[in-house]
Amino acid sequence: MVSPAVGPDADLARRAWLQRSAASALSAATLGTGLWPLHPARAAPGGLPSNVGHGDSSPQWEQLRERLFGHQRLHVGSPGLVQLSVPLRAAYGASVPVKISSHLPQTPERHVRRLTLLVDKNPSPVAAVLTLTPELGQADFETRLRVDEYSHIRVVSELSDGSLHLDSRYVKVSGGCSAPPNRDAPQLIGRTSFRLPAGLHADGPTPAEVTVLHPNDTGFELNQVTLMFIPPHFVRSLRVSRGEALLFDADLDFSISENPTWRFHFLHRPGERLGAEVLDTREQHFSARFDPATGQAS
């Protein structure tokens, strides 16, 4: 079934795509003995691809494009509207740095209202769908992704006028969805915090980071002691606000790395605190409040 690409049901269709992905992962982990079904290993025909263009397509992308955007035109080659930065060869497949840049000022008249981040060949290819507001001031984001095999990473930017703009990068790394997780401090799961890496900017967008301590288990990771697969458990949604104003709302999946961190921007208003509301796949809620003026949690 093809999700509607336009009209009032578009947002619901995109959220349903993410929810079906999570439901599939969770149900697979509870079948039978609680293990994921094992599949035979398959080598890539002719070995791993080595000369793949950043703008090339893939069978996975063609299916995703139809399901998420239907027949809408995707504008390519407009770096002033959206630009994706990813290393060609990442050091670690479970933590691939990704930067999304937009040089379009985030104003009420014209702004980025949605960003969709995808990894073509991941088991769950839709990593994040971010709904943005002009209160960000600047639609730039940074995070880290799990990449399971050599794949394109793509971002689709939807502007307030309804136009869609695409940028993509090819990354040569693998093993991100099955990498052993960190289990050093399970008692800290859910701790959420903000920081201002460059201080407070009173005359323009201020860069900020929000981090949730969470294993973001994919369901493909093997417990090194029991040799059993760890059930999926990851951050499903993140909502960041300033005072009563929404900055961005993110629907997320396990393609986001462990301890998910998002760098974003916001327009400071004196007396208004930053807030984060987090929900994971076990229906656990976490939250944080932060005073940009003092740099302290509140």
Side-chain angles (χ1 to χ4, degrees):
M1 179 178 179
V2 175
S3 299
V6 294
D9 293 333
D11 289 347
L12 291 175
R14 291 186 177 95
R15 287 178 182 269
W17 170 264
L18 285 165
Q19 291 167 355
R20 286 196 299 271
S21 163
S24 176
L26 289 167
S27 62
T30 59
L31 288 175
T33 61
L35 301 182
W36 278 84
L38 298 178
H39 301 284
R42 296 187 297 272
L48 291 171
S50 57
N51 296 307
V52 178
H54 290 304
D56 289 355
S57 185
S58 73
Q60 294 85 357
W61 165 237
E62 292 303 324
Q63 293 179 5
L64 285 168
R65 173 175 177 162
E66 182 178 1
R67 288 177 175 176
L68 296 174
F69 308 108
H71 300 291
Q72 287 183 276
R73 179 183 178 187
L74 296 179
H75 299 270
V76 181
S78 51
L81 296 178
V82 65
Q83 187 172 8
L84 188 63
S85 300
V86 183
L88 176 60
R89 292 187 180 275
Y92 183 41
S95 186
V96 177
V98 173
K99 181 177 181 180
I100 303 169
S101 303
S102 175
H103 302 288
L104 175 71
Q106 194 80 342
T107 65
E109 295 74 26
R110 192 172 187 231
H111 57 273
V112 179
R113 69 183 181 195
R114 182 177 290 106
L115 291 170
T116 304
L117 185 60
L118 308 106
V119 185
D120 284 12
K121 295 187 178 181
N122 268 12
S124 179
V126 183
V129 178
L130 285 72
T131 301
L132 319 181
T133 74
E135 298 298 331
L136 288 163
Q138 187 173 332
D140 291 2
F141 286 86
E142 294 181 49
T143 191
R144 291 180 178 271
L145 295 178
R146 301 179 189 272
V147 178
D148 204 43
E149 59 179 289
Y150 284 30
S151 177
H152 284 89
I153 297 175
R154 306 182 196 270
V155 63
V156 177
S157 172
E158 179 181 343
L159 303 189
S160 53
D161 61 9
S163 62
L164 300 176
H165 302 267
L166 167 70
D167 197 21
S168 58
R169 289 293 180 270
Y170 190 74
V171 60
K172 299 180 178 182
V173 72
S174 60
C177 292
S178 57
N182 180 0
R183 285 291 183 274
D184 289 342
Q187 73 278 7
L188 299 181
I189 287 179
R191 180 175 293 182
T192 303
S193 60
F194 288 94
R195 78 181 190 99
L196 305 182
L200 184 61
H201 297 181
D203 56 352
T206 295
E209 288 182 1
V210 58
T211 299
V212 183
L213 297 184
H214 203 286
N216 258 30
D217 292 322
T218 66
F220 296 94
E221 303 144 321
L222 197 66
N223 185 308
Q224 301 300 301
V225 176
T226 66
L227 300 183
M228 297 179 68
F229 286 96
I230 301 169
H233 179 206
F234 52 90
V235 172
R236 161 58 59 208
S237 68
L238 169 65
R239 182 181 179 89
V240 176
S241 58
R242 187 210 62 224
E244 297 298 321
L246 175 68
L247 296 179
F248 68 93
D249 193 357
D251 288 317
L252 307 173
D253 218 290
F254 61 68
S255 288
I256 304 297
S257 294
E258 173 186 6
N259 298 331
T261 297
W262 290 87
R263 178 172 289 191
F264 62 97
H265 292 75
F266 72 100
L267 296 174
H268 176 59
R269 299 286 185 268
E272 295 188 344
R273 299 178 300 169
L274 293 178
E277 300 295 332
V278 182
L279 175 68
D280 73 9
T281 52
R282 294 183 183 174
E283 300 300 321
Q284 296 180 107
H285 293 258
F286 315 105
S287 63
R289 296 292 181 270
F290 178 81
D291 186 348
T294 63
Q296 301 294 320
S298 60

